[in-house]
């Protein structure tokens, strides 16, 4: 049994530093920032912390915002400049990417949430330009982008984007995922 956390580095402090006192050294620090691993998973067994991701999820994944444990496998959803990803591990140290580039929509920058519904994954994607997307796995053990389908229109509806709290419960419709 382990507890997992995600640690990430942010470039904002370097940009602020450069704004306060512009210099070449800070410019080099900003450039180096984009060549280091920023998203790290740590795990804790109750006594000590250790690396849970070696060497991380690559240099382009900025952070892991969503996580889930399902059938003795841990999953992390990441934020990436060209489409968020989902990674899984059965032992907590060796990771395999099961979804890349925001389901082939590069503007799906972040895996915002991962849930299980009827033994299938339901994934909420953050898309700053076109609105959120919701995807679901076709099976309970997805391995790549083809194992997922989009189950909600991009951006949902304008009605939901304006104020979701004004919609009455009886106006919402429930959709079940096919169990095939």
């Amino acid at each position: 049994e382990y507890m997992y956390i995600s640690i990430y580095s942010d470039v904002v402090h370097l940009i602020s530093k450069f704004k306060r006192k512009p210099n070449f050294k800070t410019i080099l620090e900003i450039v180096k920032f984009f060549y280091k691993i920023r998203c790290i998973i740590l795990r804790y067994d109750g006594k000590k912390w250790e690396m849970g991701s070696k060497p991380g999820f690559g240099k382009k994944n900025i952070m892991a915002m969503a996580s889930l444990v399902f059938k003795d496998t841990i999953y992390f959803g990441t934020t990436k400049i060209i489409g968020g990803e989902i990674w899984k591990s059965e032992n907590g140290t060796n990771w395999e990417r099961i979804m890349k580039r925001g389901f082939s929509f590069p503007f799906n920058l972040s895996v915002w949430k991962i849930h299980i519904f009827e033994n299938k994954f339901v994934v909420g994607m953050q898309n700053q330009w076109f609105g959120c997307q919701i995807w679901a796995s076709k099976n309970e053990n997805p391995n790549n982008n083809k194992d997922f389908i989009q189950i909600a229109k991009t951006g949902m509806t304008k009605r939901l984007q304006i104020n979701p709290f004004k919609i009455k419960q009886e106006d919402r419709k429930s959709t079940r995922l096919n169990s095939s």
Side-chain angles (χ1 to χ4, degrees), residues 16-34:
S16 297
K17 180 178 171 182
F18 182 76
K19 284 181 175 180
R20 285 189 309 273
K21 187 177 176 187
N23 60 51
F24 187 70
K25 182 181 174 188
T26 306
I27 291 173
L28 286 177
E29 287 180 59
I30 292 169
V31 170
K32 282 182 8 184
F33 174 83
F34 291 100

Side-chain angles (χ1 to χ4, degrees), residues 6 9 77 105 153 165 172:
S6 165
S9 302
F105 287 87
K153 291 181 182 178
F165 300 105
R172 295 181 187 165

Side-chain angles (χ1 to χ4, degrees), residues 113-125:
K113 297 287 182 188
I114 307 172
H115 294 283
I116 298 296
F117 179 71
E118 295 183 352
N119 287 324
K120 295 183 179 142
F121 289 74
V122 178
V123 180
M125 297 297 299

Side-chain angles (χ1 to χ4, degrees), residues 38-63:
R38 292 172 290 202
C39 177
I40 297 170
I41 304 300
L42 296 175
R43 66 186 197 167
Y44 182 68
D45 66 2
K47 296 177 185 160
K48 66 178 178 167
W49 288 97
E50 63 185 24
M51 290 292 289
S53 59
K54 294 178 186 178
F57 300 137
K59 294 177 183 173
K60 294 181 181 164
N61 281 292
I62 299 167
M63 69 178 87

Side-chain angles (χ1 to χ4, degrees), residues 35 52 54-55 86 98 106 118 131 146:
Y35 288 95
K54 294 178 186 178
I86 298 176
I98 64 166
E118 295 183 352
K146 293 178 183 178

Side-chain angles (χ1 to χ4, degrees), residues 129-147:
W129 290 270
F130 303 108
C132 68
Q133 291 185 1
I134 301 175
W135 291 74
S137 63
K138 297 176 190 176
N139 56 54
E140 61 185 51
N141 188 23
N143 291 307
N144 59 49
N145 286 7
K146 293 178 183 178
D147 290 338

